[in-house]
Amino acid sequence: DVKVTQSSRYLVKRTGEKVFLECVQDMDHENMFWYRQDPGLGLRLIYFSYDVKMKEKGDIPEGYSVSREKKERFSLILESASTNQTSMYLCASSPRPGQRNSPLHFGNGTRLTVT
Amino acid sequence: RKEVEQDPGPFNVPEGATVAFNCTYSNSASQSFFWYRQDCRKEPKLLMSVYSSGNEDGRFTAQLNRASQYISLLIRDSKLSDSATYLCVGYSSASKIIFGSGTRLSIRP
């Protein structure tokens, strides 16, 4: 069974802090994703990575950066946290999204509050 | 217009009822579709893939209509445990995975 692990379930940070959200998958998946989910807005893609050291911006990359130094790990970085980044952050992985049997597998989410 | 649209609900149906959701998509390049289930404050979990030929998994049936650009999910003999938000997802490429906003389903005893 695919396991996607996010390092923290809940985080509370102050405005201006640098925040790291870590995600690890154990299935040797090529593709990894970071989403945020807000009420009424659904899931929005922040960044994704299709290979080590490769990254592509999603729909809402502003205020975020990512790092993928190893295949199994994809980190989301909030350079200077702001209150409008309070959200549920979901990491996902997939071997080859877009193929019939390659859906996204999600971690259990990090609920981040920026005060 | 959103690329993937769902009726947000909530659908409130009695236990044992049959309930159906539709999801429309606007990008004809979308290749693959899935239904996910999301419980309150939890992550989305894959429910089933959606094939043009239709597919069934127990009480759940998913269908894709490419001509009319919609996908559907049918739940028969609904259980209390089916209460959740159901998300439809369309893929056209790695960078084009579009989630609907979800349909809330509440099953009452």
Side-chain angles (χ1 to χ4, degrees):
Chain A
D1 213 16
V2 177
K3 191 158 177 66
V4 181
T5 303
Q6 292 184 230
S7 54
S8 304
R9 192 83 173 93
Y10 299 95
L11 271 181
V12 180
K13 296 292 182 180
R14 293 192 181 277
T15 300
E17 276 193 80
K18 190 168 186 175
V19 182
F20 293 86
L21 303 183
E22 306 286 348
C23 175
V24 177
Q25 50 96 0
D26 66 357
M27 285 301 291
D28 203 35
H29 285 172
E30 295 161 1
N31 300 287
M32 296 187 75
F33 305 79
W34 275 106
Y35 288 88
R36 63 177 282 178
Q37 188 173 31
D38 302 286
L41 296 177
L43 278 149
R44 293 181 290 168
L45 180 65
I46 304 171
Y47 268 97
F48 76 98
S49 168
Y50 51 89
D51 202 351
V52 174
K53 295 191 188 296
M54 306 300 285
K55 62 186 179 185
E56 293 225 7
K57 293 180 181 179
D59 300 317
I60 51 163
E62 295 79 20
Y64 303 94
S65 61
V66 290
S67 171
R68 190 149 180 220
E69 296 297 316
K70 294 185 177 181
K71 192 173 186 179
E72 67 270 18
R73 187 180 296 269
F74 192 35
S75 304
L76 180 70
I77 304 148
L78 286 66
E79 297 291 342
S80 177
S82 63
T83 54
N84 63 11
Q85 292 179 308
T86 292
S87 186
M88 168 73 109
Y89 289 87
L90 289 158
C91 175
S93 74
S94 177
R96 279 186 310 279
Q99 301 303 311
R100 207 177 241 197
N101 295 316
S102 298
L104 296 177
H105 298 270
F106 286 90
N108 59 5
T110 296
R111 192 164 291 276
L112 173 67
T113 302
V114 182
T115 61
Chain B
R1 183 186 170 190
K2 291 182 182 177
E3 286 198 52
V4 174
E5 290 207 63
Q6 295 183 249
D7 183 340
F11 285 62
N12 191 323
V13 302
E15 200 173 2
T18 294
V19 61
F21 315 132
N22 277 349
C23 172
T24 58
Y25 64 94
S26 59
N27 184 355
S28 58
S30 296
Q31 298 169 359
S32 305
F33 298 89
F34 300 89
W35 281 103
Y36 282 75
R37 170 199 169 118
Q38 186 172 24
D39 294 297
C40 189
R41 302 179 80 82
K42 296 282 183 72
E43 75 275 20
K45 291 187 176 175
L46 178 68
L47 181 64
M48 58 199 305
S49 305
V50 187
Y51 307 139
S52 295
S53 54
N55 51 307
E56 193 172 307
D57 183 3
R59 299 181 293 108
F60 297 83
T61 300
Q63 204 94 35
L64 165 63
N65 185 319
R66 287 197 184 274
S68 301
Q69 295 189 195
Y70 74 87
I71 67 173
S72 63
L73 178 68
L74 181 78
I75 306 174
R76 289 181 297 278
D77 187 24
S78 53
K79 312 291 184 193
L80 295 176
S81 57
D82 294 333
S83 296
T85 296
Y86 292 83
L87 304 169
C88 67
V89 185
Y91 291 12
S92 54
S93 69
S95 60
K96 266 300 198 185
I97 303 172
I98 307 296
F99 283 82
S101 297
T103 297
R104 280 177 48 211
L105 173 65
S106 178
I107 308 296
R108 62 179 188 271

